[in-house]
Amino acid sequence: MRIGLDCGIGIPMRSAALAPAPIYYVDPAGSDSSDGLSPATAWQTLGKVNAATIPAGSQVLFKGGVTFSGSLMLREGQHFGAPGQTTIFGSYGTGNATIQASLNSNRGLDALNPHHVTVRDLIFVGTGQTVSTATGCHLVNDLLGNAKLSGVSLLRLNISGYGVDGIAVYTGDNAYAATSASGFDGLLIDGCLVHDCTGNATDYTGNGITIQGLYGLAANPVSHTSPVIRNCKVYNNTGTAGITVSHSGSGILLGQCSGALVEYCEAYNNGANNTYASGPVGIWFYECLNSTIQFCESHHNKTGVGTSDGGGFDIDGGCQGCTVQYCYSHDNYGSGYQIYQFSDATIKDLSGNTIRFNISENDGTQAPASKGGVLVGTAESGRAAPNNNIHNNTIYNGLASANGFYLFSNPNQFSASYFANNIVYMTGTGSKVINSSTSLTPAYLCIGNCYSSPSTSLKWGSATYTTFSNWRTAYPTQETVAGSASFKAANPSLVGPLPVGNIGGFDPLALGSYKTQGASVCRNGGQNINSLYGIDPGPRDLFGNAVPQGVNDIGCFESA
């Protein structure tokens, strides 16, 4: 009605307050004495942009296909927008602009307390991953009082050649020294390439993409709420040898987050130079609540000889209510999937986490004797790790002496936790379908799985069982439902051929080899884990089929 009234009495529909925000152009052939408001009157340098005060909702666009030297430094009162008025920094013309570090200490993007700002379609290049002492894109909230900043997006950036992190989102300049739980709400990182960074990392740094906050969620609130990392490729972030308290070289690492989502990402060939005892992982969480990793591929990730980790995916210390689902892990030095609690009283107990409808292929390439397709463990002997469930995954391994399901330290602490309806298909000589490092009765119960290997081998502490009957006699709660055996000991009859190898990011059409054939014992061969144990199987399988369809299947594929 207001529009009609304004038109009727001749009042303009647009006021001066609603005039379009300006667009500023930056071109090495321009001049910093110009107004910057057209390509013909473009500014020239990053220094001009860094010193300017940009009205909320404006755009600052760098000429595509050319290079600017230095660092893009964004500050409150100069460069950020407001609700409904996002300020944009990006490229114009043909191709994307490059921001090239001129000093080893130059960050590509240095944003202090950013909000309502998008940085998009830019290339950030450091001085080289082994000489640069900087992070590619560094976003910090150093406000006190648990303040959350919103409206921040990093879109379609290409970041390489930085010695510390590729993209780092921190509480305080260094998250590990933070004193406040201030952080970001709804941060979006989408379509970014982050590669060839981390070679000069310092303690507690050196990841492709990382979001971290105030440590110790047993006493502190989460720093970052609902961040999203989507459609990113993170690769060749090697980490650094010699530093003593860091797992540098991870692909994507999130800590102190709630409601985080990582999806449609690919992490590969990260972590090769790490030598710290606890190594990097392709994509992982620690101290995260109700967060999800899905539709991702993580492969050929590495760690130093004799060190831990180097795997595909991980739900680590202090996580609660987190899920890894519909993912593909393969050819990692370490385990494909891991649930692990490191020892620290300041973190929450490890509980309520789920790994479901995933594939592990030929994981554990570095040290099969200590790493498996799926690994679980806790360094804590006095605190339970309840309700951590692993179900409907397909584990295939053709390597010699490989492990399917590996129970590492203190598996007896995993109360009310189930390894259920999984396919464990081992074809390498000397492989073990299950390997438990302790002879204590694990609280983890194996229920309704299908096992296949050249010769049955289940290692339980110092004992190795060559028949399922002898193993179940020694541990009668294993693979038992209502007094009867619940497992299948048979070839799962996968469609094949296997292995599949690289697929360039999650694509269920490329993973059809992991469906079961019509005559497979896995079809309608699983247990109803919802009615038996109250485990929500989720809405779908890895291929998008609804679950369950009649009787539950075993593995990542639910047949009609």
Side-chain angles (χ1 to χ4, degrees):
M1 293 178 64
R2 178 59 187 267
I3 292 175
L5 176 62
D6 287 347
C7 292
I9 62 177
I11 298 175
M13 292 177 60
R14 297 181 66 92
S15 67
L18 297 178
I23 300 176
Y24 297 91
Y25 298 88
V26 193
D27 181 344
S31 170
D32 287 345
S33 62
S34 298
D35 62 16
L37 294 175
S38 72
T41 60
W43 292 337
Q44 182 181 34
T45 66
L46 281 165
K48 176 66 174 181
V49 175
N50 294 341
T53 298
I54 308 297
S58 299
Q59 297 184 58
V60 179
L61 304 180
F62 298 86
K63 186 174 183 179
V66 299
T67 298
F68 299 83
S69 180
S71 177
L72 178 61
M73 302 179 66
L74 306 183
R75 297 293 183 264
E76 178 60 60
Q78 293 179 252
H79 300 112
F80 305 136
Q85 295 177 291
T86 299
T87 299
I88 297 172
F89 293 82
S91 296
Y92 77 95
T94 302
N96 292 341
T98 296
I99 295 178
Q100 169 73 60
S102 55
L103 302 172
N104 289 338
S105 59
N106 281 159
R107 292 167 175 163
L109 169 66
D110 185 344
L112 178 61
N113 298 327
H115 58 88
H116 302 100
V117 62
T118 294
V119 180
R120 60 165 177 79
D121 302 310
L122 292 169
I123 301 167
F124 293 97
V125 181
T127 54
Q129 64 173 317
T130 60
V131 293
S132 167
T133 57
T135 288
C137 293
H138 192 76
L139 279 61
V140 168
N141 181 346
D142 71 352
L143 302 174
L144 300 178
N146 193 22
K148 300 292 185 280
L149 297 172
S150 60
V152 179
S153 298
L154 303 179
L155 308 179
R156 301 178 299 276
L157 305 178
N158 189 328
I159 302 160
S160 65
Y162 292 92
V164 188
D165 298 299
I167 298 175
V169 180
Y170 285 149
T171 297
D173 195 57
N174 184 330
Y176 287 90
T179 58
S180 168
S182 291
F184 295 89
D185 176 59
L187 173 77
L188 174 62
I189 302 173
D190 194 345
C192 294
L193 302 178
V194 182
H195 57 101
D196 299 284
C197 295
T198 76
N200 196 27
T202 56
D203 287 342
Y204 300 116
T205 67
N207 305 290
I209 300 175
T210 187
I211 303 174
Q212 297 183 68
L214 179 62
Y215 183 79
L217 292 191
N220 300 310
V222 295
S223 297
H224 309 287
T225 53
S226 303
V228 175
I229 301 175
R230 178 182 289 139
N231 300 317
C232 294
K233 287 186 182 288
V234 185
Y235 57 96
N236 296 349
N237 300 292
T238 60
T240 305
I243 52 181
T244 58
V245 284
S246 178
H247 28 62
S248 66
S250 289
I252 299 173
L253 168 60
L254 276 68
Q256 297 78 47
C257 297
S258 67
L261 176 62
V262 179
E263 63 178 3
Y264 299 105
C265 292
E266 183 182 6
Y268 60 95
N269 198 34
N270 300 294
N273 290 342
N274 181 283
T275 56
Y276 180 51
S278 294
V281 174
I283 304 175
W284 62 296
F285 294 150
Y286 79 102
E287 279 215 304
C288 285
L289 309 178
N290 304 316
S291 297
T292 300
I293 301 168
Q294 62 184 9
F295 310 120
C296 293
E297 180 183 8
S298 185
H299 60 96
H300 294 94
N301 295 294
K302 300 173 173 63
T303 188
V305 175
T307 64
S308 300
D309 301 310
F313 300 90
D314 180 16
I315 299 173
D316 218 279
C319 283
Q320 295 187 344
C322 293
T323 300
V324 178
Q325 60 187 5
Y326 323 129
C327 290
Y328 176 41
S329 172
H330 62 96
D331 299 291
N332 294 289
Y333 273 16
S335 301
Y337 302 86
Q338 178 172 294
I339 297 179
Y340 189 80
Q341 175 85 333
F342 55 84
S343 182
D344 191 332
T346 70
I347 63 175
K348 291 179 177 288
D349 61 288
L350 185 73
S351 62
N353 302 297
T354 302
I355 295 176
R356 65 188 182 193
F357 293 104
N358 303 287
I359 294 169
S360 167
E361 176 182 284
N362 285 341
D363 286 311
T365 61
Q366 183 197 61
S370 61
K371 301 173 182 179
V374 175
L375 179 150
V376 298
T378 171
E380 299 180 333
S381 59
R383 182 161 56 161
N387 301 304
N388 292 288
N389 298 309
I390 301 165
H391 69 85
N392 289 101
N393 303 283
T394 298
I395 301 167
Y396 164 77
N397 204 308
L399 304 174
S401 303
N403 294 309
F405 181 38
Y406 188 75
L407 296 100
F408 188 44
S409 53
N410 298 312
N412 52 305
Q413 298 302 111
F414 284 89
S415 58
S417 297
Y418 299 89
F419 182 78
N421 290 349
N422 301 286
I423 291 173
V424 183
Y425 181 32
M426 318 295 285
T427 61
T429 58
S431 58
K432 297 176 176 61
V433 291
I434 300 175
N435 187 342
S436 176
S437 64
T438 176
S439 57
L440 294 173
T441 302
Y444 246 110
L445 288 182
C446 300
I447 300 292
N449 301 292
C450 177
Y451 306 98
S452 179
S453 62
S455 58
T456 301
S457 180
L458 302 92
K459 186 175 184 297
W460 215 262
S462 59
T464 297
Y465 299 90
T466 57
T467 70
F468 286 97
S469 176
N470 289 343
W471 172 59
R472 292 181 61 241
T473 297
Y475 300 94
T477 59
Q478 296 293 341
E479 289 295 357
T480 300
V481 172
S484 299
S486 63
F487 70 98
K488 311 291 184 185
N491 189 308
S493 298
L494 301 179
V495 169
L498 300 176
V500 172
N502 297 352
I503 61 173
F506 180 83
D507 180 1
L509 296 178
L511 294 171
S513 293
Y514 283 96
K515 294 180 179 180
T516 53
Q517 298 182 47
S520 171
V521 298
C522 298
R523 289 200 173 192
N524 300 317
Q527 299 293 315
N528 189 331
I529 56 176
N530 191 359
S531 62
L532 288 171
Y533 310 115
I535 299 172
D536 179 4
R540 52 162 288 173
D541 70 357
L542 182 140
F543 300 95
N545 302 309
V547 296
Q549 298 187 49
V551 180
N552 294 265
D553 282 17
I554 303 174
C556 66
F557 172 62
E558 179 73 16
S559 61

